[in-house]
Every structure is written in C-alpha cells, then in structure tokens.
Amino acid sequence: RNLISQETFKFHFKNLGYAEGRKDTFLCYEVTRKDCDSPVSLHHGVFKNKDNIHAEICFLYWFHDKVLKVLSPREEFKITWYMSWSPCFECAEQIVRFLATHHNLSLDIFSSRLYNVRDPETQQNLCRLVQEGAQVAAMDLYEFKKCWKKFVDNGGRRFRPWKRLLTNFRYQDSKLQEIL
C-alpha cells in the first residue's frame, strides 16, 4: 500500500486559492463494489504525475491494464478520487471517454484545488464529466480527514486542519458550483 508523507500531503493538498510551487498532482484512489452495504476497498493507493503524464491518466492506464481484466463486467463499481488538483481539460476529456465506454463504473472526484478554472475549455470539460455521470466536488473537512487516515503515513496522528481550510473550501466549492 503506497502512502504519501505528512509533509507531501500538507504541501500538495493544502486548498489555497493560489498554490505556488505545486506542479504535481496527487491522486488518492479507492475502488469498491457499488451495491455493497458496507463497501470494502478492492483497490486503493496513490498516483502522481510521472514523466509528463498526469496522475489521472496514469490511473486510467493502470486501471485498464491491471484491474478491469479481473472485475466482472456484470457488477457495478465505484471509483473515488481525492486529488490535489482538479483535472485539466485534456485529462477531463479522456476521463469522459473512459466513463462513456465503461457503464458499470461510477466516478466521484474530490479535489483540493481547481486547476485553471478560468479557461473555458476546462470549465466545459468539467461540465462534461458531470454529464457523463461523474460526481465532481471540492474537498471539505470530511474528505481531508478521510484522505489523511487512508492515504497518508500519518504515524497514528489525527488530521489537524490548517488555517483557512473551511474558508478556502467554501471558495473552491463556490467556484466549482458556478462552473457546473
């Protein structure tokens, strides 16, 4: 199980309005059966940009090559992503295509920060994600705590919210709602 360090999480997932020096995207994921009363994680872990390939695309390649082959096409599965940045327009476009061809999958995307949301193409493709059935939301305190507990080498420490986390969440959420 690959975990990220506390320092990496605090630096890359801090939901700042302007996040200087944060060029990498971290994607923490969980795959569960959709219709289970108490969903058990079938797969979970962390992806990061690698060799100029965005974390979302790294996940899609991995999922297609390693996971889809062992999942039953007759069962429904839920994929949840906790991301340091929302998808760029190109990644969102590829995710839309992926979801369009895999009707037994649902995708929830929680992002700490919105990437390039003034760009009309980015806005359009975020809307397309929702139209294709993805749930897209800003990370709130609950998601940060869940991410900390499951994906961070936290040494048994509880998540300590940074200053302005809730204010920054409200800003990210309102911007996202304007777009959607």
Side-chain angles (χ1 to χ4, degrees):
R1 168 174 144 154
N2 59 0
L3 299 173
I4 56 177
S5 72
Q6 295 175 43
E7 296 77 21
T8 297
F9 180 79
K10 289 175 184 174
F11 182 76
H12 285 282
F13 278 84
K14 197 167 187 177
N15 59 350
L16 303 168
Y18 180 72
E20 187 175 346
R22 291 157 173 89
K23 302 223 184 280
D24 285 325
T25 297
F26 284 82
L27 182 155
C28 303
Y29 69 90
E30 184 170 33
V31 180
T32 57
R33 280 191 177 79
K34 197 170 182 182
D35 44 351
C36 286
D37 292 333
S38 56
V40 175
S41 182
L42 301 172
H43 298 278
H44 62 275
V46 179
F47 280 94
K48 171 188 166 188
N49 295 2
K50 184 177 180 185
D51 300 328
N52 293 321
I53 300 173
H54 290 183
E56 305 93 302
I57 306 311
C58 291
F59 174 89
L60 293 178
Y61 287 149
W62 167 81
F63 191 81
H64 184 268
D65 292 345
K66 305 281 190 217
V67 179
L68 268 180
K69 295 175 182 179
V70 298
L71 298 180
S72 168
R74 292 182 291 283
E75 285 187 84
E76 293 191 354
F77 298 92
K78 178 180 178 181
I79 302 168
T80 305
W81 288 352
Y82 304 94
M83 301 180 64
S84 55
W85 287 105
S86 63
C88 71
F89 80 93
E90 292 158 332
C91 288
E93 193 171 293
Q94 290 191 44
I95 298 163
V96 165
R97 279 187 258 155
F98 182 81
L99 291 173
T101 59
H102 298 90
H103 298 287
N104 63 327
L105 304 176
S106 68
L107 176 62
D108 291 352
I109 302 172
F110 297 98
S111 57
S112 175
R113 293 180 305 274
L114 299 173
Y115 178 76
N116 203 19
V117 291
R118 291 191 178 110
D119 175 51
E121 288 180 300
T122 300
Q123 292 178 4
Q124 180 183 13
N125 281 349
L126 286 174
C127 290
R128 287 183 60 213
L129 276 172
V130 172
Q131 291 165 354
E132 195 56 53
Q135 302 293 314
V136 179
M139 286 178 75
D140 68 10
L141 182 58
Y142 175 80
E143 279 85 31
F144 283 112
K145 284 181 179 179
K146 186 172 182 180
C147 205
W148 175 267
K149 187 175 181 180
K150 189 163 195 105
F151 302 104
V152 176
D153 185 7
N154 60 44
R157 293 183 188 91
R158 291 181 343 162
F159 176 69
R160 299 185 79 121
W162 44 82
K163 289 181 182 177
R164 300 185 50 83
L165 182 146
L166 293 176
T167 302
N168 292 342
F169 158 72
R170 285 190 282 275
Y171 171 78
Q172 299 287 341
D173 184 56
S174 69
K175 284 289 178 202
L176 184 59
Q177 294 313 312
E178 283 175 25
I179 293 166
L180 300 179

PDB file of all heavy atoms in Angstrom, residues 86-119:
ATOM      1  N   SER A  86      -7.914  19.590  -9.523  1.00  0.00           N
ATOM      2  CA  SER A  86      -8.963  19.049 -10.393  1.00  0.00           C
ATOM      3  C   SER A  86      -8.340  18.752 -11.764  1.00  0.00           C
ATOM      4  O   SER A  86      -7.292  19.297 -12.112  1.00  0.00           O
ATOM      5  CB  SER A  86     -10.118  20.045 -10.526  1.00  0.00           C
ATOM      6  OG  SER A  86      -9.686  21.243 -11.155  1.00  0.00           O
ATOM      7  N   PRO A  87      -8.985  17.899 -12.548  1.00  0.00           N
ATOM      8  CA  PRO A  87      -8.418  17.544 -13.857  1.00  0.00           C
ATOM      9  C   PRO A  87      -8.316  18.744 -14.801  1.00  0.00           C
ATOM     10  O   PRO A  87      -9.197  19.604 -14.824  1.00  0.00           O
ATOM     11  CB  PRO A  87      -9.416  16.524 -14.417  1.00  0.00           C
ATOM     12  CG  PRO A  87     -10.126  15.979 -13.222  1.00  0.00           C
ATOM     13  CD  PRO A  87     -10.191  17.121 -12.241  1.00  0.00           C
ATOM     14  N   CYS A  88      -7.251  18.768 -15.583  1.00  0.00           N
ATOM     15  CA  CYS A  88      -7.126  19.755 -16.650  1.00  0.00           C
ATOM     16  C   CYS A  88      -8.121  19.377 -17.761  1.00  0.00           C
ATOM     17  O   CYS A  88      -8.709  18.298 -17.737  1.00  0.00           O
ATOM     18  CB  CYS A  88      -5.693  19.801 -17.187  1.00  0.00           C
ATOM     19  SG  CYS A  88      -5.206  18.350 -18.157  1.00  0.00           S
ATOM     20  N   PHE A  89      -8.277  20.238 -18.748  1.00  0.00           N
ATOM     21  CA  PHE A  89      -9.281  19.962 -19.783  1.00  0.00           C
ATOM     22  C   PHE A  89      -8.954  18.703 -20.582  1.00  0.00           C
ATOM     23  O   PHE A  89      -9.845  17.948 -20.967  1.00  0.00           O
ATOM     24  CB  PHE A  89      -9.521  21.180 -20.686  1.00  0.00           C
ATOM     25  CG  PHE A  89      -8.504  21.396 -21.771  1.00  0.00           C
ATOM     26  CD1 PHE A  89      -8.710  20.879 -23.046  1.00  0.00           C
ATOM     27  CD2 PHE A  89      -7.356  22.127 -21.520  1.00  0.00           C
ATOM     28  CE1 PHE A  89      -7.779  21.083 -24.043  1.00  0.00           C
ATOM     29  CE2 PHE A  89      -6.418  22.337 -22.520  1.00  0.00           C
ATOM     30  CZ  PHE A  89      -6.628  21.813 -23.779  1.00  0.00           C
ATOM     31  N   GLU A  90      -7.657  18.451 -20.844  1.00  0.00           N
ATOM     32  CA  GLU A  90      -7.286  17.268 -21.629  1.00  0.00           C
ATOM     33  C   GLU A  90      -7.568  15.982 -20.847  1.00  0.00           C
ATOM     34  O   GLU A  90      -8.074  15.006 -21.395  1.00  0.00           O
ATOM     35  CB  GLU A  90      -5.807  17.333 -22.027  1.00  0.00           C
ATOM     36  CG  GLU A  90      -5.516  18.441 -23.009  1.00  0.00           C
ATOM     37  CD  GLU A  90      -4.054  18.859 -22.997  1.00  0.00           C
ATOM     38  OE1 GLU A  90      -3.384  18.709 -21.951  1.00  0.00           O
ATOM     39  OE2 GLU A  90      -3.589  19.350 -24.028  1.00  0.00           O
ATOM     40  N   CYS A  91      -7.220  15.986 -19.557  1.00  0.00           N
ATOM     41  CA  CYS A  91      -7.481  14.803 -18.727  1.00  0.00           C
ATOM     42  C   CYS A  91      -8.985  14.588 -18.564  1.00  0.00           C
ATOM     43  O   CYS A  91      -9.468  13.457 -18.654  1.00  0.00           O
ATOM     44  CB  CYS A  91      -6.816  14.942 -17.362  1.00  0.00           C
ATOM     45  SG  CYS A  91      -5.020  14.796 -17.432  1.00  0.00           S
ATOM     46  N   ALA A  92      -9.713  15.674 -18.334  1.00  0.00           N
ATOM     47  CA  ALA A  92     -11.167  15.553 -18.187  1.00  0.00           C
ATOM     48  C   ALA A  92     -11.778  14.929 -19.436  1.00  0.00           C
ATOM     49  O   ALA A  92     -12.669  14.084 -19.352  1.00  0.00           O
ATOM     50  CB  ALA A  92     -11.789  16.921 -17.899  1.00  0.00           C
ATOM     51  N   GLU A  93     -11.282  15.320 -20.603  1.00  0.00           N
ATOM     52  CA  GLU A  93     -11.769  14.763 -21.865  1.00  0.00           C
ATOM     53  C   GLU A  93     -11.514  13.254 -21.934  1.00  0.00           C
ATOM     54  O   GLU A  93     -12.383  12.479 -22.341  1.00  0.00           O
ATOM     55  CB  GLU A  93     -11.083  15.484 -23.027  1.00  0.00           C
ATOM     56  CG  GLU A  93     -11.702  15.223 -24.367  1.00  0.00           C
ATOM     57  CD  GLU A  93     -11.110  16.145 -25.416  1.00  0.00           C
ATOM     58  OE1 GLU A  93     -11.344  17.362 -25.336  1.00  0.00           O
ATOM     59  OE2 GLU A  93     -10.404  15.620 -26.302  1.00  0.00           O
ATOM     60  N   GLN A  94     -10.334  12.818 -21.526  1.00  0.00           N
ATOM     61  CA  GLN A  94     -10.019  11.388 -21.546  1.00  0.00           C
ATOM     62  C   GLN A  94     -10.842  10.615 -20.512  1.00  0.00           C
ATOM     63  O   GLN A  94     -11.252   9.487 -20.767  1.00  0.00           O
ATOM     64  CB  GLN A  94      -8.523  11.174 -21.326  1.00  0.00           C
ATOM     65  CG  GLN A  94      -7.715  11.639 -22.531  1.00  0.00           C
ATOM     66  CD  GLN A  94      -6.269  11.189 -22.456  1.00  0.00           C
ATOM     67  OE1 GLN A  94      -5.987  10.052 -22.111  1.00  0.00           O
ATOM     68  NE2 GLN A  94      -5.361  12.086 -22.796  1.00  0.00           N
ATOM     69  N   ILE A  95     -11.085  11.230 -19.372  1.00  0.00           N
ATOM     70  CA  ILE A  95     -11.918  10.591 -18.345  1.00  0.00           C
ATOM     71  C   ILE A  95     -13.339  10.433 -18.851  1.00  0.00           C
ATOM     72  O   ILE A  95     -13.974   9.388 -18.652  1.00  0.00           O
ATOM     73  CB  ILE A  95     -11.894  11.403 -17.033  1.00  0.00           C
ATOM     74  CG1 ILE A  95     -10.476  11.457 -16.464  1.00  0.00           C
ATOM     75  CG2 ILE A  95     -12.847  10.808 -16.008  1.00  0.00           C
ATOM     76  CD1 ILE A  95     -10.260  12.554 -15.420  1.00  0.00           C
ATOM     77  N   VAL A  96     -13.852  11.443 -19.545  1.00  0.00           N
ATOM     78  CA  VAL A  96     -15.204  11.372 -20.129  1.00  0.00           C
ATOM     79  C   VAL A  96     -15.286  10.191 -21.098  1.00  0.00           C
ATOM     80  O   VAL A  96     -16.230   9.399 -21.050  1.00  0.00           O
ATOM     81  CB  VAL A  96     -15.569  12.699 -20.844  1.00  0.00           C
ATOM     82  CG1 VAL A  96     -16.772  12.528 -21.761  1.00  0.00           C
ATOM     83  CG2 VAL A  96     -15.831  13.788 -19.816  1.00  0.00           C
ATOM     84  N   ARG A  97     -14.288  10.060 -21.963  1.00  0.00           N
ATOM     85  CA  ARG A  97     -14.273   8.937 -22.916  1.00  0.00           C
ATOM     86  C   ARG A  97     -14.219   7.593 -22.194  1.00  0.00           C
ATOM     87  O   ARG A  97     -14.885   6.636 -22.596  1.00  0.00           O
ATOM     88  CB  ARG A  97     -13.097   9.064 -23.887  1.00  0.00           C
ATOM     89  CG  ARG A  97     -13.403  10.033 -25.025  1.00  0.00           C
ATOM     90  CD  ARG A  97     -12.300  10.017 -26.049  1.00  0.00           C
ATOM     91  NE  ARG A  97     -11.529  11.225 -25.753  1.00  0.00           N
ATOM     92  CZ  ARG A  97     -10.269  11.415 -26.043  1.00  0.00           C
ATOM     93  NH1 ARG A  97      -9.575  10.480 -26.630  1.00  0.00           N
ATOM     94  NH2 ARG A  97      -9.668  12.528 -25.750  1.00  0.00           N
ATOM     95  N   PHE A  98     -13.420   7.515 -21.148  1.00  0.00           N
ATOM     96  CA  PHE A  98     -13.303   6.286 -20.366  1.00  0.00           C
ATOM     97  C   PHE A  98     -14.648   5.916 -19.734  1.00  0.00           C
ATOM     98  O   PHE A  98     -15.098   4.772 -19.833  1.00  0.00           O
ATOM     99  CB  PHE A  98     -12.230   6.472 -19.285  1.00  0.00           C
ATOM    100  CG  PHE A  98     -11.994   5.244 -18.457  1.00  0.00           C
ATOM    101  CD1 PHE A  98     -11.180   4.222 -18.925  1.00  0.00           C
ATOM    102  CD2 PHE A  98     -12.577   5.110 -17.210  1.00  0.00           C
ATOM    103  CE1 PHE A  98     -10.957   3.082 -18.156  1.00  0.00           C
ATOM    104  CE2 PHE A  98     -12.355   3.984 -16.435  1.00  0.00           C
ATOM    105  CZ  PHE A  98     -11.552   2.967 -16.912  1.00  0.00           C
ATOM    106  N   LEU A  99     -15.303   6.889 -19.109  1.00  0.00           N
ATOM    107  CA  LEU A  99     -16.597   6.617 -18.474  1.00  0.00           C
ATOM    108  C   LEU A  99     -17.662   6.234 -19.506  1.00  0.00           C
ATOM    109  O   LEU A  99     -18.520   5.391 -19.236  1.00  0.00           O
ATOM    110  CB  LEU A  99     -17.061   7.834 -17.667  1.00  0.00           C
ATOM    111  CG  LEU A  99     -16.259   8.142 -16.411  1.00  0.00           C
ATOM    112  CD1 LEU A  99     -16.707   9.465 -15.793  1.00  0.00           C
ATOM    113  CD2 LEU A  99     -16.370   7.007 -15.400  1.00  0.00           C
ATOM    114  N   ALA A 100     -17.598   6.838 -20.677  1.00  0.00           N
ATOM    115  CA  ALA A 100     -18.572   6.548 -21.727  1.00  0.00           C
ATOM    116  C   ALA A 100     -18.483   5.104 -22.211  1.00  0.00           C
ATOM    117  O   ALA A 100     -19.462   4.548 -22.705  1.00  0.00           O
ATOM    118  CB  ALA A 100     -18.389   7.509 -22.901  1.00  0.00           C
ATOM    119  N   THR A 101     -17.314   4.502 -22.064  1.00  0.00           N
ATOM    120  CA  THR A 101     -17.144   3.122 -22.532  1.00  0.00           C
ATOM    121  C   THR A 101     -17.180   2.086 -21.412  1.00  0.00           C
ATOM    122  O   THR A 101     -17.046   0.895 -21.676  1.00  0.00           O
ATOM    123  CB  THR A 101     -15.813   2.969 -23.308  1.00  0.00           C
ATOM    124  OG1 THR A 101     -14.734   3.335 -22.453  1.00  0.00           O
ATOM    125  CG2 THR A 101     -15.811   3.831 -24.559  1.00  0.00           C
ATOM    126  N   HIS A 102     -17.350   2.539 -20.175  1.00  0.00           N
ATOM    127  CA  HIS A 102     -17.396   1.634 -19.027  1.00  0.00           C
ATOM    128  C   HIS A 102     -18.610   1.989 -18.159  1.00  0.00           C
ATOM    129  O   HIS A 102     -18.484   2.643 -17.125  1.00  0.00           O
ATOM    130  CB  HIS A 102     -16.100   1.719 -18.217  1.00  0.00           C
ATOM    131  CG  HIS A 102     -14.901   1.309 -18.994  1.00  0.00           C
ATOM    132  ND1 HIS A 102     -14.157   2.193 -19.732  1.00  0.00           N
ATOM    133  CD2 HIS A 102     -14.327   0.098 -19.166  1.00  0.00           C
ATOM    134  CE1 HIS A 102     -13.179   1.551 -20.324  1.00  0.00           C
ATOM    135  NE2 HIS A 102     -13.255   0.273 -20.009  1.00  0.00           N
ATOM    136  N   HIS A 103     -19.770   1.525 -18.597  1.00  0.00           N
ATOM    137  CA  HIS A 103     -21.021   1.906 -17.949  1.00  0.00           C
ATOM    138  C   HIS A 103     -21.223   1.276 -16.570  1.00  0.00           C
ATOM    139  O   HIS A 103     -22.108   1.689 -15.833  1.00  0.00           O
ATOM    140  CB  HIS A 103     -22.206   1.579 -18.869  1.00  0.00           C
ATOM    141  CG  HIS A 103     -22.138   2.334 -20.154  1.00  0.00           C
ATOM    142  ND1 HIS A 103     -22.396   3.686 -20.244  1.00  0.00           N
ATOM    143  CD2 HIS A 103     -21.806   1.936 -21.410  1.00  0.00           C
ATOM    144  CE1 HIS A 103     -22.234   4.079 -21.487  1.00  0.00           C
ATOM    145  NE2 HIS A 103     -21.873   3.044 -22.224  1.00  0.00           N
ATOM    146  N   ASN A 104     -20.413   0.301 -16.229  1.00  0.00           N
ATOM    147  CA  ASN A 104     -20.549  -0.324 -14.904  1.00  0.00           C
ATOM    148  C   ASN A 104     -19.675   0.372 -13.856  1.00  0.00           C
ATOM    149  O   ASN A 104     -19.577  -0.083 -12.723  1.00  0.00           O
ATOM    150  CB  ASN A 104     -20.202  -1.817 -14.962  1.00  0.00           C
ATOM    151  CG  ASN A 104     -18.759  -2.076 -15.346  1.00  0.00           C
ATOM    152  OD1 ASN A 104     -18.163  -1.329 -16.113  1.00  0.00           O
ATOM    153  ND2 ASN A 104     -18.203  -3.155 -14.815  1.00  0.00           N
ATOM    154  N   LEU A 105     -19.066   1.501 -14.223  1.00  0.00           N
ATOM    155  CA  LEU A 105     -18.222   2.253 -13.300  1.00  0.00           C
ATOM    156  C   LEU A 105     -18.832   3.610 -13.006  1.00  0.00           C
ATOM    157  O   LEU A 105     -19.372   4.263 -13.899  1.00  0.00           O
ATOM    158  CB  LEU A 105     -16.832   2.475 -13.903  1.00  0.00           C
ATOM    159  CG  LEU A 105     -16.040   1.257 -14.349  1.00  0.00           C
ATOM    160  CD1 LEU A 105     -14.734   1.690 -14.997  1.00  0.00           C
ATOM    161  CD2 LEU A 105     -15.779   0.328 -13.177  1.00  0.00           C
ATOM    162  N   SER A 106     -18.735   4.030 -11.757  1.00  0.00           N
ATOM    163  CA  SER A 106     -19.073   5.414 -11.420  1.00  0.00           C
ATOM    164  C   SER A 106     -17.826   6.052 -10.819  1.00  0.00           C
ATOM    165  O   SER A 106     -16.964   5.366 -10.272  1.00  0.00           O
ATOM    166  CB  SER A 106     -20.241   5.482 -10.438  1.00  0.00           C
ATOM    167  OG  SER A 106     -19.858   4.975  -9.174  1.00  0.00           O
ATOM    168  N   LEU A 107     -17.727   7.352 -10.950  1.00  0.00           N
ATOM    169  CA  LEU A 107     -16.539   8.063 -10.504  1.00  0.00           C
ATOM    170  C   LEU A 107     -16.936   9.284  -9.688  1.00  0.00           C
ATOM    171  O   LEU A 107     -17.730  10.107 -10.140  1.00  0.00           O
ATOM    172  CB  LEU A 107     -15.695   8.502 -11.713  1.00  0.00           C
ATOM    173  CG  LEU A 107     -14.457   9.348 -11.430  1.00  0.00           C
ATOM    174  CD1 LEU A 107     -13.442   8.580 -10.576  1.00  0.00           C
ATOM    175  CD2 LEU A 107     -13.817   9.795 -12.744  1.00  0.00           C
ATOM    176  N   ASP A 108     -16.392   9.373  -8.471  1.00  0.00           N
ATOM    177  CA  ASP A 108     -16.522  10.561  -7.630  1.00  0.00           C
ATOM    178  C   ASP A 108     -15.150  11.207  -7.550  1.00  0.00           C
ATOM    179  O   ASP A 108     -14.167  10.531  -7.217  1.00  0.00           O
ATOM    180  CB  ASP A 108     -16.984  10.204  -6.216  1.00  0.00           C
ATOM    181  CG  ASP A 108     -18.418   9.712  -6.159  1.00  0.00           C
ATOM    182  OD1 ASP A 108     -19.123   9.781  -7.188  1.00  0.00           O
ATOM    183  OD2 ASP A 108     -18.836   9.252  -5.079  1.00  0.00           O
ATOM    184  N   ILE A 109     -15.081  12.495  -7.872  1.00  0.00           N
ATOM    185  CA  ILE A 109     -13.819  13.231  -7.846  1.00  0.00           C
ATOM    186  C   ILE A 109     -13.928  14.345  -6.814  1.00  0.00           C
ATOM    187  O   ILE A 109     -14.782  15.228  -6.933  1.00  0.00           O
ATOM    188  CB  ILE A 109     -13.488  13.850  -9.217  1.00  0.00           C
ATOM    189  CG1 ILE A 109     -13.408  12.787 -10.304  1.00  0.00           C
ATOM    190  CG2 ILE A 109     -12.194  14.657  -9.148  1.00  0.00           C
ATOM    191  CD1 ILE A 109     -13.280  13.349 -11.716  1.00  0.00           C
ATOM    192  N   PHE A 110     -13.076  14.286  -5.806  1.00  0.00           N
ATOM    193  CA  PHE A 110     -12.969  15.351  -4.820  1.00  0.00           C
ATOM    194  C   PHE A 110     -11.607  16.004  -5.015  1.00  0.00           C
ATOM    195  O   PHE A 110     -10.587  15.327  -4.955  1.00  0.00           O
ATOM    196  CB  PHE A 110     -13.068  14.792  -3.394  1.00  0.00           C
ATOM    197  CG  PHE A 110     -14.380  14.147  -3.098  1.00  0.00           C
ATOM    198  CD1 PHE A 110     -14.514  12.769  -3.176  1.00  0.00           C
ATOM    199  CD2 PHE A 110     -15.482  14.901  -2.740  1.00  0.00           C
ATOM    200  CE1 PHE A 110     -15.725  12.155  -2.910  1.00  0.00           C
ATOM    201  CE2 PHE A 110     -16.698  14.299  -2.464  1.00  0.00           C
ATOM    202  CZ  PHE A 110     -16.823  12.919  -2.554  1.00  0.00           C
ATOM    203  N   SER A 111     -11.594  17.301  -5.269  1.00  0.00           N
ATOM    204  CA  SER A 111     -10.307  17.967  -5.486  1.00  0.00           C
ATOM    205  C   SER A 111     -10.091  19.056  -4.448  1.00  0.00           C
ATOM    206  O   SER A 111     -11.025  19.749  -4.041  1.00  0.00           O
ATOM    207  CB  SER A 111     -10.213  18.535  -6.899  1.00  0.00           C
ATOM    208  OG  SER A 111     -11.263  19.418  -7.149  1.00  0.00           O
ATOM    209  N   SER A 112      -8.839  19.176  -4.050  1.00  0.00           N
ATOM    210  CA  SER A 112      -8.454  20.185  -3.075  1.00  0.00           C
ATOM    211  C   SER A 112      -8.482  21.585  -3.702  1.00  0.00           C
ATOM    212  O   SER A 112      -8.933  22.530  -3.078  1.00  0.00           O
ATOM    213  CB  SER A 112      -7.052  19.868  -2.558  1.00  0.00           C
ATOM    214  OG  SER A 112      -6.605  20.888  -1.709  1.00  0.00           O
ATOM    215  N   ARG A 113      -7.995  21.658  -4.945  1.00  0.00           N
ATOM    216  CA  ARG A 113      -7.945  22.937  -5.642  1.00  0.00           C
ATOM    217  C   ARG A 113      -8.430  22.761  -7.071  1.00  0.00           C
ATOM    218  O   ARG A 113      -8.315  21.688  -7.653  1.00  0.00           O
ATOM    219  CB  ARG A 113      -6.506  23.481  -5.676  1.00  0.00           C
ATOM    220  CG  ARG A 113      -5.956  23.861  -4.331  1.00  0.00           C
ATOM    221  CD  ARG A 113      -4.541  24.394  -4.448  1.00  0.00           C
ATOM    222  NE  ARG A 113      -3.657  23.465  -5.130  1.00  0.00           N
ATOM    223  CZ  ARG A 113      -3.008  22.467  -4.538  1.00  0.00           C
ATOM    224  NH1 ARG A 113      -3.156  22.252  -3.260  1.00  0.00           N
ATOM    225  NH2 ARG A 113      -2.207  21.693  -5.226  1.00  0.00           N
ATOM    226  N   LEU A 114      -8.934  23.832  -7.634  1.00  0.00           N
ATOM    227  CA  LEU A 114      -9.400  23.814  -9.024  1.00  0.00           C
ATOM    228  C   LEU A 114      -8.273  24.261  -9.941  1.00  0.00           C
ATOM    229  O   LEU A 114      -7.639  25.290  -9.699  1.00  0.00           O
ATOM    230  CB  LEU A 114     -10.601  24.738  -9.187  1.00  0.00           C
ATOM    231  CG  LEU A 114     -11.811  24.346  -8.345  1.00  0.00           C
ATOM    232  CD1 LEU A 114     -12.887  25.424  -8.434  1.00  0.00           C
ATOM    233  CD2 LEU A 114     -12.349  23.003  -8.771  1.00  0.00           C
ATOM    234  N   TYR A 115      -8.044  23.470 -10.969  1.00  0.00           N
ATOM    235  CA  TYR A 115      -6.971  23.756 -11.909  1.00  0.00           C
ATOM    236  C   TYR A 115      -7.480  24.608 -13.069  1.00  0.00           C
ATOM    237  O   TYR A 115      -8.422  24.224 -13.762  1.00  0.00           O
ATOM    238  CB  TYR A 115      -6.369  22.458 -12.453  1.00  0.00           C
ATOM    239  CG  TYR A 115      -5.278  22.695 -13.459  1.00  0.00           C
ATOM    240  CD1 TYR A 115      -4.013  23.095 -13.044  1.00  0.00           C
ATOM    241  CD2 TYR A 115      -5.518  22.575 -14.817  1.00  0.00           C
ATOM    242  CE1 TYR A 115      -3.004  23.353 -13.964  1.00  0.00           C
ATOM    243  CE2 TYR A 115      -4.519  22.826 -15.740  1.00  0.00           C
ATOM    244  CZ  TYR A 115      -3.270  23.225 -15.308  1.00  0.00           C
ATOM    245  OH  TYR A 115      -2.283  23.485 -16.211  1.00  0.00           O
ATOM    246  N   ASN A 116      -6.877  25.772 -13.278  1.00  0.00           N
ATOM    247  CA  ASN A 116      -7.094  26.604 -14.465  1.00  0.00           C
ATOM    248  C   ASN A 116      -8.576  26.809 -14.780  1.00  0.00           C
ATOM    249  O   ASN A 116      -8.991  26.678 -15.934  1.00  0.00           O
ATOM    250  CB  ASN A 116      -6.355  25.970 -15.646  1.00  0.00           C
ATOM    251  CG  ASN A 116      -6.047  26.966 -16.731  1.00  0.00           C
ATOM    252  OD1 ASN A 116      -6.057  28.172 -16.502  1.00  0.00           O
ATOM    253  ND2 ASN A 116      -5.766  26.472 -17.918  1.00  0.00           N
ATOM    254  N   VAL A 117      -9.363  27.135 -13.765  1.00  0.00           N
ATOM    255  CA  VAL A 117     -10.815  27.194 -13.964  1.00  0.00           C
ATOM    256  C   VAL A 117     -11.297  28.425 -14.718  1.00  0.00           C
ATOM    257  O   VAL A 117     -12.469  28.493 -15.066  1.00  0.00           O
ATOM    258  CB  VAL A 117     -11.586  27.071 -12.631  1.00  0.00           C
ATOM    259  CG1 VAL A 117     -11.441  25.691 -12.066  1.00  0.00           C
ATOM    260  CG2 VAL A 117     -11.148  28.132 -11.657  1.00  0.00           C
ATOM    261  N   ARG A 118     -10.425  29.340 -15.019  1.00  0.00           N
ATOM    262  CA  ARG A 118     -10.839  30.483 -15.852  1.00  0.00           C
ATOM    263  C   ARG A 118     -10.852  30.117 -17.331  1.00  0.00           C
ATOM    264  O   ARG A 118     -11.420  30.827 -18.147  1.00  0.00           O
ATOM    265  CB  ARG A 118      -9.932  31.676 -15.586  1.00  0.00           C
ATOM    266  CG  ARG A 118     -10.142  32.260 -14.199  1.00  0.00           C
ATOM    267  CD  ARG A 118      -9.437  33.594 -14.047  1.00  0.00           C
ATOM    268  NE  ARG A 118      -9.699  34.131 -12.738  1.00  0.00           N
ATOM    269  CZ  ARG A 118      -8.789  34.228 -11.778  1.00  0.00           C
ATOM    270  NH1 ARG A 118      -7.555  33.823 -11.998  1.00  0.00           N
ATOM    271  NH2 ARG A 118      -9.099  34.729 -10.612  1.00  0.00           N
ATOM    272  N   ASP A 119     -10.206  28.998 -17.652  1.00  0.00           N
ATOM    273  CA  ASP A 119     -10.129  28.536 -19.033  1.00  0.00           C
ATOM    274  C   ASP A 119     -11.473  27.931 -19.449  1.00  0.00           C
ATOM    275  O   ASP A 119     -11.966  26.996 -18.812  1.00  0.00           O
ATOM    276  CB  ASP A 119      -9.024  27.487 -19.161  1.00  0.00           C
ATOM    277  CG  ASP A 119      -8.962  26.886 -20.538  1.00  0.00           C
ATOM    278  OD1 ASP A 119      -8.909  27.649 -21.521  1.00  0.00           O
ATOM    279  OD2 ASP A 119      -8.979  25.641 -20.638  1.00  0.00           O
TER     280      ASP A 119
END
